[in-house]
Amino acid sequence: MKNKTGASFVRSLLNAWSWLFLILILGFFEIYAQTQTGNTFLFRVYNLQSISIAASQILLLALGLTLVIVAGHIDLSIAFSTGFAAVVMALIIRAAGDDAHWLVVLLAMGAGISAAAFVGLVNGWLVALLNVPSFIGTLGTYGIARGAALIVAGGATVSIRNDFARSFGNGNVLGFPIPLVTAAILALVCHYVLKHTKFGAHTYALGANRASVERAGVDVKKHLIQLFVFSAVTAGIGGIIYTSRFSAGAANAGEPILLYAVAAVFIGGASLTGGQGTIAGTVIGAFIIAVIQFGLVFCGLPPYWQFVAVGLVIIVAVLVDQSKDRIVGGRA
């Protein structure tokens, strides 16, 4: 009885490790700020805003990816789904002129998201209909989307000058940055879909036991296609936010964030084998990475130390996941 109680406590602790880790690193950077600079790290508006915007960039790629990973697959093409959407949007606005009407900008945004969705459709077709492993299939479309974005952009960054687009990427709603508001709305939608709909239940079941889902009469191929399209769409929204924020569309807009997006999902509790993961966990994972990014810069360390830190956190996340599996196995 004591062994079961102890195992249950340890498992609960492991399930909450990402929340505990976030509190730990926030405490560390706050203590550093107080002792080294005499200022606060956590209670400065600029710091909170910078961390929130960085987290929102990660989330826009990670939210749809969470559903794909819960289903037992992976989508590596999201980096250049983002870039493809960013370039398509920028090209349309540039063609319409710097003073393009806001309706034209909205049309450009829709076209960018549609371009990303097409990449997702190809991914779904490869995985669901041709049975190509998702790692290989999306790695292939990663290269294709990258090449397509570079081709349509002429191998260069596509700069624009449009006030509406700039205000969309850099403006605020009730004092909150629009990128953060966009990511928050998408997170709520994804949470509802994953936790409170049949689509979400089928996604969890697909990651846990595909055969049982097929026996239940679910159209698994259609479901997989929808998952990959949704993943590409959320990444595409990240692309239009990128173009709006920086007044430029770049083919590699999402490439630096790919590692962080994948890390956020696994830090948040998703399993390598599928069937586990939550949107709330992914949100926490994104904020952990954003705090590490900004905190290391705040401490005066070169930016490339971010990759080392995030890599270490990914390894810890995998070890935690394996520990939970061993505890479950031991109880069984």
Side-chain angles (χ1 to χ4, degrees):
M1 183 68 179
K2 290 183 178 179
N3 289 338
K4 289 184 178 180
T5 302
S8 177
F9 173 76
V10 173
R11 180 171 173 78
S12 298
L13 196 62
L14 291 173
N15 284 333
W17 85 271
S18 57
W19 295 83
L20 297 174
F21 186 70
L22 178 60
I23 294 171
L24 179 65
I25 59 175
L26 284 173
F28 170 80
F29 287 125
E30 180 63 23
I31 292 172
Y32 177 88
Q34 293 285 353
T35 56
Q36 297 297 318
T37 68
N39 294 318
T40 179
F41 173 82
L42 186 57
F43 301 103
R44 294 182 64 185
V45 174
Y46 174 78
N47 292 0
L48 292 176
Q49 189 175 56
S50 298
I51 290 170
S52 297
I53 291 176
S56 67
Q57 292 174 333
I58 297 168
L59 276 174
L60 289 170
L61 273 72
L63 289 172
L65 180 63
T66 301
L67 274 68
V68 172
I69 290 176
V70 166
H73 291 275
I74 190 71
D75 185 358
L76 298 177
S77 67
I78 52 174
F80 286 100
S81 295
T82 297
F84 198 19
V87 168
V88 168
M89 173 185 169
L91 284 171
I92 293 175
I93 294 175
R94 174 184 278 188
D98 292 340
D99 58 346
H101 194 269
W102 63 270
L103 285 174
V104 176
V105 177
L106 291 180
L107 177 63
M109 291 178 177
I113 294 172
S114 298
F118 179 75
V119 177
L121 186 63
V122 173
N123 287 333
W125 180 70
L126 289 172
V127 175
L129 301 182
L130 297 183
N131 295 318
V132 176
S134 58
F135 180 88
I136 300 299
T138 60
L139 184 62
T141 52
Y142 172 103
I144 294 170
R146 179 181 189 179
L150 287 169
I151 289 169
V152 298
T157 298
V158 182
S159 60
I160 60 172
R161 293 182 180 179
N162 183 276
D163 291 338
F164 178 78
R166 188 182 301 109
S167 64
F168 180 80
N170 298 282
N172 296 290
V173 175
L174 300 177
F176 295 96
I178 289 177
L180 177 62
V181 173
T182 303
I185 292 172
L186 278 174
L188 290 173
V189 170
C190 291
H191 173 78
Y192 179 81
V193 168
L194 198 54
K195 285 293 186 181
H196 302 290
T197 67
K198 287 184 178 180
F199 186 88
H202 292 161
T203 301
Y204 277 112
L206 184 59
N209 191 332
R210 174 169 176 160
S212 65
V213 178
E214 292 175 333
R215 287 195 296 270
V218 177
D219 189 340
V220 171
K221 293 181 178 179
K222 179 181 177 182
H223 192 89
L224 283 173
I225 291 173
Q226 291 173 333
L227 283 174
F228 280 102
V229 170
F230 185 71
S231 176
V233 165
T234 61
I237 294 173
I240 67 171
I241 292 290
Y242 179 95
T243 297
S244 299
R245 282 191 66 207
F246 301 108
S247 294
N252 64 343
E255 187 175 16
I257 313 175
L258 176 60
L259 171 65
Y260 299 146
V262 175
V265 179
F266 288 116
I267 291 170
S271 173
L272 293 167
T273 56
Q276 297 179 36
T278 64
I279 296 300
T282 297
V283 171
I284 293 299
F287 272 94
I288 285 174
I289 295 170
V291 170
I292 290 173
Q293 284 182 294
F294 188 81
L296 292 180
V297 174
F298 181 83
C299 292
L301 291 175
Y304 44 77
W305 277 100
Q306 297 171 14
F307 296 104
V308 176
V310 172
L312 289 173
V313 176
I314 292 174
I315 293 172
V316 171
V318 173
L319 291 174
V320 169
D321 180 59
Q322 292 177 340
S323 298
K324 288 190 289 186
D325 291 342
R326 283 197 295 269
I327 291 172
V328 172
R331 292 181 65 187

